Amino acid sequence: MKGLVDEIGCLEPGNKTAVMPKKLTLKGYKQYWCTFKDITISCYKSKEESHGTPAHQMNLRGCEVTPDVNISGQKFNIKLLIPVADGMNEIWLRCDMEKQYAHWMAACRLASKGKTMADSSYNLEVQNILSFLKMQHMNPDPQLIEPITTDINPECLVSPRYLKKYKNKQPGSIRDLISTRILEAHQNVAQMSLIEAKMRFIQAWQSLPEFGMTHFLAKFQGGKREELIGITYNRLIRMDASTGDAIKTWRFSNMKQWNVNWEIKMVTVEFADEPSLSFICAEVDCKVVHEFIGGYIFLSTRAKDQNESLDEEMFYKLTSGWV
């Protein structure tokens, strides 16, 4: 895959891409010609120089990939948080169109897991992303929206955070505006069977940036204030408690071992080629975090064969151990 990359993080028309520096400034985008090979993005000043030494190179293994999409505004951005020695470097990729975004997003997601575009799941990932984007399209002709007799109460269907965007509008107009948007979205699934609609809902849910992540308030060793520790099926994420931004990511595949000091309730995780991580949970018992880590490690050892017998002894060994 080829493209032009900026120093601010975007994908431009055709085969172009842009990359954003760690700190956003008023400086404009500076395009580079880039290639996506294996799990690495290489950036060159021009297409002619793409056979030489790249100006920038980014290995995406272990990175955090977050979508920043607005269909109506034709905004298709990808936020990358790439692990470095002192934390995470923030890179932005901006795509020009949906299809381009789907290919780059799929490639980035696979690369973060150490997989390439040659993996059998790549095309399926692209199609899932395109299907998810299709569900977000608004109906171009409001007259085609089928009327629904049921009275829609937006407060029951929309989060308070979204409703705050319309706080300066009249209450009646808010209801009409959001109800119309709900009906427009409904048209994208109205012709589906119940099972298909449920599957689309699950796909949309799984596409959310923090799907499957459990957050715990924690005090990290050496830290001065409480932060968040996010745990998913394949990684630990240190996060800013006020903004939710990722500070550092550690993959379970790079973990050597973890243990708990039950007296002071401290969890310590050791990694193959990184400093160890130690923290104390602020609101839950440390055994809960221990169970999450052990449970996910246990699931990662199981084969996809549904006939595999459950190794209860190994499960309890990984998830218990407190006194």
Side-chain angles (χ1 to χ4, degrees):
M1 185 183 292
K2 298 181 179 179
L4 274 180
V5 183
D6 282 0
E7 282 187 335
I8 260 193
C10 341
L11 291 170
E12 295 295 341
N15 288 328
K16 305 174 203 167
T17 308
V19 183
M20 181 179 309
K22 193 172 184 180
K23 292 184 179 180
L24 179 60
T25 65
L26 296 178
K27 181 180 178 182
Y29 287 91
K30 184 178 179 183
Q31 289 187 343
Y32 288 92
W33 178 266
C34 85
T35 59
F36 202 142
K37 183 178 180 181
D38 296 330
I39 60 173
T40 301
I41 295 178
S42 300
C43 311
Y44 305 88
K45 292 184 178 180
S46 67
K47 180 179 179 180
E48 289 70 26
E49 297 182 14
S50 60
H51 297 291
T53 303
H56 303 284
Q57 206 163 38
M58 299 169 287
N59 188 308
L60 302 192
R61 182 188 295 272
C63 76
E64 291 296 314
V65 184
T66 306
D68 180 21
V69 175
N70 185 317
I71 298 292
S72 59
Q74 287 296 292
K75 181 175 75 171
F76 305 102
N77 295 345
I78 303 171
K79 177 183 176 182
L80 303 176
L81 291 175
I82 302 176
V84 292
D86 58 345
M88 307 281 277
N89 273 345
E90 183 176 310
I91 301 295
W92 286 83
L93 302 176
R94 184 181 61 210
C95 304
D96 184 63
M97 59 191 71
E98 289 185 25
K99 187 175 180 180
Q100 186 186 45
Y101 166 82
H103 283 277
W104 279 87
M105 174 58 84
C108 289
R109 284 179 176 173
L110 290 179
S112 70
K113 303 173 186 177
K115 300 179 181 180
T116 70
M117 288 176 281
D119 190 85
S120 59
S121 63
Y122 173 69
N123 289 330
L124 179 61
E125 184 72 30
V126 172
Q127 292 305 314
N128 286 340
I129 293 170
L130 288 173
S131 297
F132 182 54
L133 294 176
K134 185 178 179 181
M135 292 178 64
Q136 300 177 58
H137 279 278
M138 291 194 296
N139 196 313
D141 188 354
Q143 295 181 351
L144 296 178
I145 298 177
E146 298 180 6
I148 294 182
T149 56
T150 305
D151 185 32
I152 296 178
N153 186 359
E155 289 78 7
C156 297
L157 301 171
V158 180
S159 69
R161 183 175 60 179
Y162 186 83
L163 289 173
K164 285 180 181 179
K165 296 180 180 180
Y166 302 94
K167 62 182 179 180
N168 295 327
K169 296 182 179 291
Q170 295 296 325
S173 64
I174 295 177
R175 179 182 296 271
D176 294 340
L177 184 65
I178 298 180
S179 297
T180 301
R181 181 65 188 95
I182 291 173
L183 292 176
E184 289 174 346
H186 176 261
Q187 292 305 300
N188 292 323
V189 297
Q191 305 304 319
M192 297 180 186
S193 66
L194 179 60
I195 296 298
E196 186 180 1
K198 287 182 176 180
M199 290 301 297
R200 285 293 185 91
F201 175 80
I202 293 173
Q203 288 177 359
W205 175 43
Q206 292 176 332
S207 298
L208 296 175
E210 295 187 6
F211 163 74
M213 185 183 300
T214 306
H215 302 85
F216 299 97
L217 199 61
K219 183 72 174 293
F220 288 84
Q221 189 173 43
K224 297 181 179 180
R225 56 192 176 86
E226 290 181 339
E227 297 174 275
L228 291 175
I229 180 75
I231 305 179
T232 74
Y233 72 97
N234 64 353
R235 66 197 189 280
L236 299 173
I237 308 170
R238 184 174 181 175
M239 308 171 72
D240 188 296
S242 58
T243 64
D245 292 339
I247 299 173
K248 179 73 175 176
T249 296
W250 298 269
R251 295 271 168 176
F252 287 157
S253 58
N254 196 35
M255 181 193 298
K256 291 175 60 178
Q257 65 177 16
W258 81 97
N259 57 74
V260 180
N261 185 325
W262 300 106
E263 293 183 2
I264 62 174
K265 306 296 184 181
M266 177 177 283
V267 179
T268 300
V269 187
E270 298 181 16
F271 301 94
D273 52 8
E274 294 186 79
S276 61
L277 168 70
S278 298
F279 59 89
I280 297 175
C281 295
E283 297 180 338
V284 300
D285 195 297
C286 61
K287 75 176 184 179
V288 177
V289 173
H290 171 65
E291 290 172 345
F292 264 88
I293 296 175
Y296 280 133
I297 294 296
F298 175 77
L299 290 176
S300 69
T301 64
R302 289 178 57 79
K304 294 182 178 180
D305 183 5
Q306 296 181 354
N307 295 323
E308 181 186 7
S309 60
L310 179 66
D311 188 344
E312 293 189 22
E313 181 180 354
M314 176 61 69
F315 175 76
Y316 288 117
K317 182 178 180 181
L318 290 171
T319 57
S320 49
W322 62 89
V323 293

